[in-house]
């Protein structure tokens, strides 16, 4: 089997689609894999704003000269490591991850409850009161300033029953970190965080049977789901005193820099900077989160996807900034060290290839170890690659 990435304009009947190469929520196809039998299917792919997809040449026609998936992955891994040359984008931690994790858990729990209350008010037709969320946004900014990784890593942990609310909290934390790293003033950072909390407010006007469907949406259901961006923008425009930045996050977080996104299909020059930032963090959180019908990918793997989609879906320069915020191996990642041990990343330093890790497992002897922190910036051992926790029966979150 040879999987290749091809441009949509090179597609023709007789090929077999292996992967549509977009985030799980970005298309209305029931299946990711199918045979191309007629021109209407190809047109539908174009209509969804897709630029490049993967084909299986063992099950359909080939495209001469198209790069293989293995070549693409090798190139993305090199690009990801090259991103480390810019150094960390956020100031070093003021307190340890262990210490900040206590405060971060409290903030995240309270934030999820507040967001749930705000969004439920919208579903019930009540007036949205964003003032209820502002103290929590300020608390998140303070947490990021104390230790950038603690809040973001813990926000990956979500309950399936309250995913919509916890996803909004995660987007808040990520946008606060993003805006802080770009040097925005405190008021703008907090507006970005509020926009993250409210970016999916339009989903409260989407029928529950579609919003909470435990599986892929049909094409008609996908059309209804896409309306949440327009609906959210309209809801927020009706809230007294809400800033245009918050409104743009809700209305633009599904737009693509090459056009073809929704709700308006506008391109890079028309999408605000905060809208392009929101698109990046929304995809990152969606792809790293476990859902009933979607197993979350490891953070380093998702960062490679962000690089792959740079220039088509996402703003490439902002993706590079985002990687330097999280690190090549984000906090909470399981990594293999050159000595054969497995460790959980707990702290980023200036050198993004040499974070502080918590050694937890001996891979060769398949033996759990007494957790011990190792500062790779001052060690002979280095990270070889990231690992899939389930393959080892490990849960990195338990070590944070």
């Amino acid at each position: 089997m040879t999987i290749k990435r091809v441009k949509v304009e090179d597609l023709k009947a007789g090929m077999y689609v292996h992967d549509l190469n977009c985030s799980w929520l970005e298309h209305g196809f029931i299946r990711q894999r199918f045979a191309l039998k007629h021109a209407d299917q190809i047109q539908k792919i174009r209509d969804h704003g897709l630029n490049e997809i993967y084909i299986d040449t063992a099950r359909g026609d080939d495209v001469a000269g198209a790069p293989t998936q293995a070549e693409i992955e090798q190139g993305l891994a090199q690009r990801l490591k090259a991103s480390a040359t810019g150094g960390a984008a956020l100031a070093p931690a003021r307190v340890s991850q262990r210490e900040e994790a206590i405060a971060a858990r409290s903030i995240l729990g309270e934030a999820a409850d507040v967001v749930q209350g705000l969004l439920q008010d919208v579903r019930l037709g009540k007036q949205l009161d964003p003032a209820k969320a502002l103290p929590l946004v300020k608390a998140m900014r303070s947490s990021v300033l104390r230790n950038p990784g603690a809040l973001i890593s813990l926000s990956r942990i979500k309950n399936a029953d309250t995913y919509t609310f916890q996803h909004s909290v995660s987007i808040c934390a990520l946008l606060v970190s993003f805006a802080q790293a770009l040097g925005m003033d405190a008021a703008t950072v907090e507006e970005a965080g509020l926009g993250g909390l409210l970016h999916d407010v339009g989903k409260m006007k989407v029928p529950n049977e579609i919003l909470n469907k435990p599986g892929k949406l049909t094409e008609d259901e996908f059309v209804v789901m896409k309306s949440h961006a327009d609906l959210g923008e309209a809801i927020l425009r009706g809230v007294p005193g809400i800033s245009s930045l918050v409104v743009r996050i809700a209305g633009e977080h599904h737009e693509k820099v090459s056009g073809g996104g929704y709700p308006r299909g506008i391109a890079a020059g028309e999408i605000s900077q905060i809208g392009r930032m929101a698109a990046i963090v929304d995809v990152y959180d969606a792809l790293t989160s476990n859902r009933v019908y979607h197993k979350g990918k490891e953070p380093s793997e998702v960062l490679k996807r962000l690089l792959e989609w740079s220039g088509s879906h996402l703003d490439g320069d902002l993706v590079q900034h985002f990687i330097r915020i999280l690190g090549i191996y984000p906090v909470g990642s399981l990594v293999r060290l050159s000595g054969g041990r497995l460790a959980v990343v707990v702290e980023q330093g200036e050198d993004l290839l040499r974070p502080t890790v918590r050694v937890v497992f001996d891979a060769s002897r398949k033996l759990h170890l007494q957790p011990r922190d190792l500062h790779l910036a001052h060690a002979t051992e280095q990270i070889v690659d990231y690992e899939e926790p389930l393959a080892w029966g490990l849960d990195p979150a338990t070590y944070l």
Side-chain angles (χ1 to χ4, degrees), residues 35-178:
L36 288 175
K37 298 179 180 179
H38 46 77
D40 287 351
Q41 291 172 296
I42 298 172
Q43 186 57 50
K44 181 179 176 183
I45 291 173
R46 289 196 190 96
D47 291 344
H48 278 76
L50 304 181
N51 301 92
E52 295 177 316
I53 68 169
Y54 287 93
I55 62 169
D56 184 346
T57 61
R59 303 183 68 176
D61 293 340
D62 198 353
V63 175
T68 66
Q69 187 175 40
E71 291 169 338
I72 295 293
E73 290 302 313
Q74 183 179 21
L76 289 172
Q78 292 172 347
R79 287 173 62 190
L80 184 57
K81 288 195 173 182
S83 300
T85 57
L90 284 167
R94 299 175 184 173
V95 302
S96 71
Q97 179 272 333
R98 286 183 187 274
E99 184 179 347
E100 187 55 34
I102 297 170
R105 282 195 183 92
S106 176
I107 292 168
L108 290 171
E110 187 178 351
D113 289 341
V114 169
V115 172
Q116 183 169 4
L118 286 172
L119 298 187
Q120 293 289 25
D121 282 349
V122 172
R123 187 175 287 284
L124 295 171
K126 297 180 181 178
Q127 176 69 55
L128 180 68
D129 182 9
K132 295 178 180 178
L134 287 176
L136 283 165
V137 176
K138 291 178 183 292
M140 286 192 185
R141 178 172 176 268
S142 296
S143 178
V144 168
L145 290 173
R146 289 191 298 267
N147 185 301
L151 190 71
I152 294 174
S153 60
L154 291 173
S155 69
R156 284 187 60 206
I157 305 167
K158 296 179 178 68
N159 184 306
D161 294 335
T162 55
Y163 172 83
T164 297
F165 311 123
Q166 290 176 313
H167 170 65
S168 295
V169 173
S170 294
I171 300 306
C172 174
L174 289 165
L175 277 178
V176 163
S177 300
F178 210 159

Side-chain angles (χ1 to χ4, degrees), residues 19-36:
D19 190 324
L20 289 165
N21 192 31
C22 61
S23 65
W24 63 276
L25 191 59
E26 292 300 312
H27 64 81
F29 293 86
I30 298 297
R31 298 184 303 277
Q32 280 270 13
R33 301 179 181 181
F34 53 92
L36 288 175

Side-chain angles (χ1 to χ4, degrees), residues 4 49 88 95 144 173 179 195 216 245 265 291 297 299 311 316 362-363 378 381 389:
K4 289 187 172 183
V95 302
V144 168
K216 279 295 298 177
L245 185 144
R291 303 292 303 275
K297 297 180 182 294
D362 186 318
H378 310 295
E381 272 191 289

Side-chain angles (χ1 to χ4, degrees), residues 6-9 11 20-23 25-29 41-53 219 222 226 254-262 264-267 308-309 311-314:
V6 302
K7 296 183 182 300
V8 169
E9 54 261 36
L11 292 178
L20 289 165
N21 192 31
C22 61
S23 65
L25 191 59
E26 292 300 312
H27 64 81
F29 293 86
Q41 291 172 296
I42 298 172
Q43 186 57 50
K44 181 179 176 183
I45 291 173
R46 289 196 190 96
D47 291 344
H48 278 76
L50 304 181
N51 301 92
E52 295 177 316
I53 68 169
E219 189 167 356
F222 181 61
K226 287 199 300 184
H254 284 295
E255 298 289 0
K256 299 180 180 181
V257 295
S258 62
Y262 63 87
R264 288 180 289 282
I266 53 179
E308 183 174 15
W309 297 332
S312 57
H313 183 162
L314 306 170

Side-chain angles (χ1 to χ4, degrees), residues 7 16 33 42 74 94 98 138 140 184 197 204 243 255 275 305 317 325 327 339 367 399:
K7 296 183 182 300
Y16 188 89
R33 301 179 181 181
I42 298 172
Q74 183 179 21
R94 299 175 184 173
R98 286 183 187 274
K138 291 178 183 292
M140 286 192 185
M184 296 179 183
L197 283 178
M204 294 303 97
S243 77
E255 298 289 0
R305 300 281 72 80
D317 290 339
I325 293 166
L367 180 69
Y399 298 101

